[in-house]
Amino acid sequence: WKTYLGRPESDWDRSKAMTCLGIALSDNRRPEELNVKEVDLATMRRVWPDDRENINATLQNLALAYHNRGRYDDALRLEEQLYSETKAMCGASSVQVFRAAQNLMASYCGSKRYATGKAFIRENQLQSLVSRTLGQDHYRTITWPSTRC
């Protein structure tokens, strides 16, 4: 990553090097991980504000880092944002939305907001939507978090 450090913020290779650095730091549970991922997200939003797919991937990386460190409220805030944006981008019955919903449910469970999580599933009719869209035998249907929260 040091090879790309001197390049401008708008250099795509520099951005990807920062993402890789954040991932490497997460593998080693380094405290600098959150700082790197937060800077990476801020840079993405500033330099490429219309690149929703990569911004959302960076948001997801940061939310996972928060979750892994027990910062469930911070993770929850990002997961709620990700769910809304993914649903707006992909539609209510896409695999991406189901993945975002599962991640959001993990954050609800981690922050011990079980009732909120169950209400979220009911309000969005996610259990039946996942079954109908993916089928009863699909792993996302089988592993759906409503039974765990």
Side-chain angles (χ1 to χ4, degrees), residues 2 15 18 26 40 42 53 60 63 68-69 72 77 79 83 88 94 98 103-104 111 114 122 127 130 136 149:
K2 289 182 181 180
S15 175
M18 290 299 288
S26 69
D40 194 20
E53 188 174 331
Q60 183 59 57
N68 289 341
R69 284 183 165 60
Y72 300 116
R77 179 179 46 84
E79 295 292 356
Y83 176 76
S94 71
F98 301 147
N103 292 337
L104 178 53
S111 62
Y114 306 114
R122 274 192 310 276
Q127 185 71 46
V130 169
Q136 288 294 103
C149 280

Side-chain angles (χ1 to χ4, degrees), residues 23-145:
I23 292 168
L25 291 171
S26 69
D27 287 345
N28 296 318
R29 300 277 185 202
R30 301 285 306 223
E32 299 90 352
E33 173 195 10
L34 292 178
N35 291 339
V36 169
K37 289 183 176 181
E38 288 167 348
V39 168
D40 194 20
L41 177 61
T43 302
M44 292 287 291
R45 285 180 166 162
R46 188 174 47 257
V47 177
W48 298 287
D50 297 327
D51 189 356
R52 296 308 317 159
E53 188 174 331
N54 281 309
I55 289 173
N56 285 351
T58 306
L59 267 171
Q60 183 59 57
N61 288 338
L62 182 56
L64 182 60
Y66 285 147
H67 187 88
N68 289 341
R69 284 183 165 60
R71 291 177 56 178
Y72 300 116
D73 290 337
D74 292 327
L76 184 59
R77 179 179 46 84
L78 296 180
E79 295 292 356
E80 287 173 335
Q81 180 182 349
L82 275 164
Y83 176 76
S84 296
E85 289 182 16
T86 304
K87 188 174 177 181
M89 276 182 10
C90 302
S93 61
S94 71
V95 174
Q96 294 90 339
V97 170
F98 301 147
R99 185 180 318 118
Q102 279 188 309
N103 292 337
L104 178 53
M105 286 302 302
S107 290
Y108 280 134
C109 292
S111 62
K112 302 193 183 337
R113 295 181 182 172
Y114 306 114
T116 305
K118 286 186 177 191
F120 167 74
I121 288 174
R122 274 192 310 276
E123 288 168 13
N124 292 286
Q125 301 175 349
L126 289 170
Q127 185 71 46
S128 60
L129 189 59
V130 169
S131 285
R132 220 175 27 252
T133 304
L134 301 177
Q136 288 294 103
D137 295 334
H138 193 276
Y139 79 95
R140 287 210 188 276
T141 304
I142 295 167
T143 62
W144 192 251

